[in-house]
Amino acid sequence: MTIKTGGHALVENLIQHGIKDLFLIPGIQLDWAVDALRQRSSEINLFVPRHEQTTTYMADGYFRASGQIGAAMVVPGPGALNTGAGLATAYASNSKVLFVTPQIHSKGVGKGYGLLHEIKDQTGFVAGLTKWNAMVESADHIASTMDAAFAQLNTGRPRPVGVEIPHDYLQTPVEQDNERSTHPAPVPLVDEKLIQAAAALINGARFPVIYAGGGVNNPAGAAGLRVLAEKIGAAVVASDNGRGALTDRHPLSMNSLAGRAVFQHADVIVVVGSRFIDAMTPTASWPQGEGVRFVYLNIDPADVTPPRMPDVALIGDAAQELPRLAEFLKKRAVLKESDALAVKRWAQAQIDSISPQADYVNALRKAMPDDAIFVNELTQIGYLARIAFPVYQPHTYIGPGYQGTLGYGFPVALGAAVGGCGRRVVSVTGDGGFGWNLQELATAKRYELPVTLIVFNDGHYGNVRAIQRREFGAEVAVELSNPDFRLLAQAFGVPFEQVETPEALGALVEQSMNTRGPVMIEVKIGVVPSPWHLLRLQPMKGMTGPAAPANPLDGAI
């Protein structure tokens, strides 16, 4: 079949691979692709935000809410560079994001002529933020290169991929490339002897514990995780990215604070779909050795290397391998339900002591249905929400991943609203982070996206200020000059309310669940207590707080 231009070939390929929504900002090097999109407007929806950074943030949120590939497209050079924060967050959060950008004219790449939007090494930049990237070699190879990109997206660990297309190829007449492969290679099954070795280790353990990361936080992986946990009655401790893989209503489901109590008694730890690495230092999330043995199950071999020390390493897809592992495990109840609930109460009591953050988090959870999507930010309420916000389903909790890109939350929430198919998205942010992308109120309103945006306003970069005060007894460069948020929302036509209590916030959030389009809520807060001593399996160094109550499992198991 003859295709008119490379632009048509690109668009045809996107549609063939099931891309129904595309986040882009047009520009001269994309003109031939954008016109081809216009001609197929009934088959692919275009979302045009107000900053190129937002295209990849939205693609990330789209994937994390739907499990479907998020696609972004911008012009080369400064356009591509602007997407970097979104790509970095998607990479850190294991998101399937397709990033397409043109290159300068094919005869000028690498020549340093100073062509429009030329940068010294765009390919190196794209490579650094993706797991796989390719430069299209000729107009006739657009389709086959895109096929390869989709195959990479659907193979192995989910992460972004990048494709560069010299812009002259997009207007070149082409014919369909016949050398095409559209099927990704299946993930090989783990050798059964290794499965049996892992099962023997777990069966021989006195108190095994499961640690669940983002690699298992999808419907198929979550189902296998539940089967495994219930087969042996073991606690499941979720990483930030693993929240929701096992509903928090399940007695065996634990946040990382509760995880401290069970990990202290564990003799075998089964790490599933997690990097299991400390966020600040190159050490494992829990001490390796020291009488504890480890089973790692991960699709990425890099995640079972030092400083992690597996006794058994299973390299495979958790959704495939968890049911196989469960078949070899002895049926038992490692952790009695009464003891599991005691651990959860022990953790919750410590969380409730962090006020008012815990009160705000509780109000949000009560106001939201189980399938509403919560997008957490790097803000004072958001930090505690990492452990305090109960999560009941996969794809309903979105965090910043290890990249920790301040300001990511609101634009990611917009993409989640597109991918969420009508489900309401609640986005919490601070006044500092909101400043990164406040212009995207225009995008929320233009497409009437179902986002409830909550801005906690303390007039400062609050966490930076708290650290400065604690470490140096002084503060610098943390005070903000904010707009009048009511006038800002009104300027974009977005309904706005301001509240000062958790109860008032909860009432407005509940009301917004039945509202069409975006809603913005400002919450005035002051200095709040630090939650950092409660976060993560091991408290961060230097983060001190009240002594924890006695471990409820001491003497019980």
Side-chain angles (χ1 to χ4, degrees):
M1 182 177 94
T2 301
I3 300 291
K4 293 181 180 178
T5 67
H8 289 103
L10 172 62
V11 173
E12 175 71 21
N13 190 273
L14 293 173
I15 293 170
Q16 286 178 351
H17 284 284
I19 299 298
K20 297 184 177 1
D21 301 296
L22 176 63
F23 307 103
L24 88 157
I25 292 183
I28 189 167
Q29 293 95 343
L30 280 173
D31 281 351
W32 290 80
V34 171
D35 190 67
L37 287 164
R38 174 190 63 80
Q39 297 173 38
R40 305 293 292 271
S41 60
S42 64
E43 297 168 271
I44 189 165
N45 302 308
L46 305 184
F47 292 86
V48 183
R50 299 302 298 270
H51 194 293
E52 283 143 339
Q53 181 185 88
T54 302
T55 61
T56 47
Y57 273 140
M58 289 184 75
D60 176 26
Y62 183 91
F63 170 76
R64 289 205 262 172
S66 68
Q68 304 300 311
I69 294 168
M73 188 184 300
V74 298
V75 297
L81 290 173
N82 278 335
T83 67
L87 284 174
T89 298
Y91 188 95
S93 302
N94 303 305
S95 294
K96 292 183 181 183
V97 169
L98 171 67
F99 175 60
V100 179
T101 185
Q103 256 283 7
I104 59 172
H105 193 285
S106 59
K107 296 187 183 304
V109 176
K111 302 294 179 60
Y113 293 148
L115 301 181
L116 180 65
H117 293 165
E118 180 179 2
I119 57 176
K120 185 176 181 181
D121 185 12
Q122 176 174 294
T123 298
F125 159 77
V126 175
L129 295 174
T130 58
K131 74 170 187 177
W132 177 92
N133 68 294
M135 170 95 76
V136 173
E137 296 178 351
S138 71
D140 289 335
H141 285 87
I142 288 176
S144 59
T145 305
M146 293 299 295
D147 286 343
F150 280 102
Q152 289 290 331
L153 281 165
N154 291 310
T155 300
R157 183 189 194 134
R159 273 180 169 162
V161 305
V163 176
E164 299 172 272
I165 309 174
H167 69 80
D168 50 308
Y169 294 166
L170 293 173
Q171 56 185 293
T172 301
V174 299
E175 296 213 358
Q176 187 72 34
D177 189 343
N178 293 322
E179 296 181 8
R180 298 180 59 188
S181 174
T182 59
H183 302 291
V187 179
L189 291 175
V190 173
D191 188 306
E192 189 167 293
K193 291 181 180 178
L194 283 174
I195 295 284
Q196 291 175 341
L201 200 58
I202 298 167
N203 285 333
R206 177 183 57 84
F207 193 76
V209 173
I210 303 166
Y211 187 83
V216 75
N217 199 357
N218 55 75
L225 177 68
R226 180 166 185 157
V227 168
L228 180 72
E230 292 180 344
K231 180 76 176 282
I232 61 175
V236 175
V237 180
S239 73
D240 285 358
N241 286 343
R243 300 292 312 281
L246 183 64
T247 174
D248 278 323
R249 290 197 177 95
H250 199 292
L252 295 173
S253 179
M254 310 275 180
N255 59 35
S256 60
L257 178 57
R260 293 180 187 177
V262 295
F263 265 61
Q264 287 167 9
H265 288 272
D267 56 343
V268 169
I269 295 171
V270 183
V271 180
V272 183
S274 172
R275 299 179 188 90
F276 205 64
I277 205 81
D278 183 78
M280 297 298 290
T281 61
T283 57
S285 296
W286 195 258
Q288 306 289 281
E290 300 183 14
V292 182
R293 305 185 74 181
F294 285 84
V295 174
Y296 283 83
L297 169 54
N298 204 294
I299 202 167
D300 189 344
D303 283 349
V304 302
T305 57
R308 292 138 311 198
M309 296 169 57
D311 293 271
V312 180
L314 310 175
I315 306 304
D317 184 344
Q320 290 182 160
E321 304 302 342
L322 286 172
R324 297 180 67 211
L325 178 59
E327 289 181 5
F328 291 99
L329 297 180
K330 296 184 296 187
K331 177 73 174 174
R332 56 175 168 152
V334 169
L335 183 62
K336 293 189 298 185
E337 182 171 326
S338 58
D339 289 335
L341 295 176
V343 169
K344 291 165 78 100
R345 289 193 297 269
W346 172 84
Q348 189 62 48
Q350 296 175 73
I351 291 169
D352 289 341
S353 70
I354 307 297
S355 180
Q357 296 102 302
D359 302 317
Y360 280 113
V361 174
N362 290 336
L364 290 172
R365 179 69 276 180
K366 290 177 183 177
M368 296 169 59
D370 288 5
D371 65 348
I373 300 164
F374 180 68
V375 180
N376 203 3
E377 248 281 8
L378 295 108
T379 186
Q380 294 300 323
I381 280 72
Y383 295 131
L384 187 67
R386 294 180 182 185
I387 58 172
F389 185 85
V391 185
Y392 302 131
Q393 298 178 11
H395 300 312
T396 61
Y397 175 89
I398 296 175
Y402 70 74
Q403 198 60 232
T405 41
L406 184 63
Y408 94 100
F410 180 41
V412 164
L414 300 179
V418 177
C421 298
R423 289 181 291 159
R424 194 79 190 175
V425 178
V426 174
S427 171
V428 299
T429 184
D431 50 332
F434 179 53
W436 261 242
N437 285 288
L438 56 79
Q439 77 283 346
E440 299 304 345
L441 285 169
T443 305
K445 182 60 181 175
R446 176 180 178 180
Y447 299 104
E448 290 293 349
L449 298 177
V451 175
T452 301
L453 169 66
I454 304 167
V455 180
F456 289 94
N457 181 6
D458 66 355
H460 294 79
Y461 293 120
N463 198 55
V464 178
R465 176 172 62 162
I467 293 171
Q468 290 179 353
R469 285 183 172 183
R470 184 182 67 249
E471 296 293 335
F472 311 111
E475 61 185 66
V476 62
V478 293
E479 188 173 358
L480 299 173
S481 178
N482 285 323
D484 182 318
F485 288 124
R486 182 182 298 276
L487 291 178
L488 180 72
Q490 288 175 348
F492 287 103
V494 174
F496 175 91
E497 295 288 347
Q498 184 186 90
V499 298
E500 297 185 6
T501 68
E503 294 77 15
L505 176 62
L508 283 176
V509 172
E510 184 174 7
Q511 179 182 326
S512 76
M513 293 299 119
N514 298 311
T515 302
R516 182 176 181 272
V519 172
M520 180 175 174
I521 304 170
E522 179 187 9
V523 183
K524 291 278 194 177
I525 61 170
V527 176
V528 296
S530 172
W532 282 100
H533 61 287
L534 300 181
L535 307 184
R536 302 181 181 155
L537 279 175
Q538 298 185 89
M540 290 178 64
K541 292 178 181 178
M543 301 296 181
T544 59
N551 187 332
L553 295 181
D554 290 349
I557 59 173

